Amino acid sequence: VVSLMFMLTSTIRSDDGKRIRQEGFFHNWTPQTLIPIFTNAAGGIVVGLVTKYAGSVKKGFALIFGLVLSGILQAASSSNGNDDGNNGSLSLEHVVGGLLAAFSLWMHSAFPAR
């Protein structure tokens, strides 16, 4: 309730609130605007289903595996010509993090809770 009061107050007093009142909230929206909205909604539903049917521990391990896989793919796809300082190799932190994640997954699978 308190956050709603702050939001309404800021909407009334700000320049953005004036523009919303004059032009409407959905002014300048295009069909492309809906893409991230629907993908985030679908992702939230998938996370809820995974948590419900697989459990939060397995969801956590899937998240860790996804992060490790993303790091490996990012390092593999980086080229030497980038100005971001990434030369296409995995850092020590990436390797240690991946090994810790793999070790924790193995321990959870090998020694389940009783």
Side-chain angles (χ1 to χ4, degrees):
V1 175
V2 175
S3 61
L4 184 62
M5 289 175 20
F6 279 110
M7 183 190 72
L8 289 174
T9 303
S10 68
T11 304
I12 291 169
R13 297 181 54 111
S14 70
D15 292 334
D16 290 333
K18 290 177 189 173
R19 286 188 61 205
I20 290 172
R21 286 190 303 277
Q22 292 170 353
E23 299 171 357
F25 184 77
F26 299 106
H27 180 70
N28 285 337
W29 277 40
T30 64
Q32 289 82 10
T33 308
L34 299 175
I35 293 171
I37 293 171
F38 285 126
T39 55
N40 281 330
I45 292 170
V46 169
V47 167
L49 289 172
V50 167
T51 304
K52 179 178 179 182
Y53 292 110
S56 62
V57 174
K58 289 183 182 177
K59 181 192 73 136
F61 284 121
L63 175 68
I64 292 168
F65 178 72
L67 291 172
V68 170
L69 184 63
S70 295
I72 292 170
L73 291 175
Q74 181 180 4
S77 67
S78 296
S79 65
N80 291 336
N82 288 348
D83 292 333
D84 62 359
N86 188 357
N87 60 3
S89 63
L90 292 173
S91 68
L92 179 63
E93 290 86 2
H94 287 118
V95 174
V96 171
L99 290 174
L100 284 173
F103 182 68
S104 66
L105 183 58
W106 172 78
M107 283 188 61
H108 181 73
S109 299
F111 307 106
R114 296 180 189 176

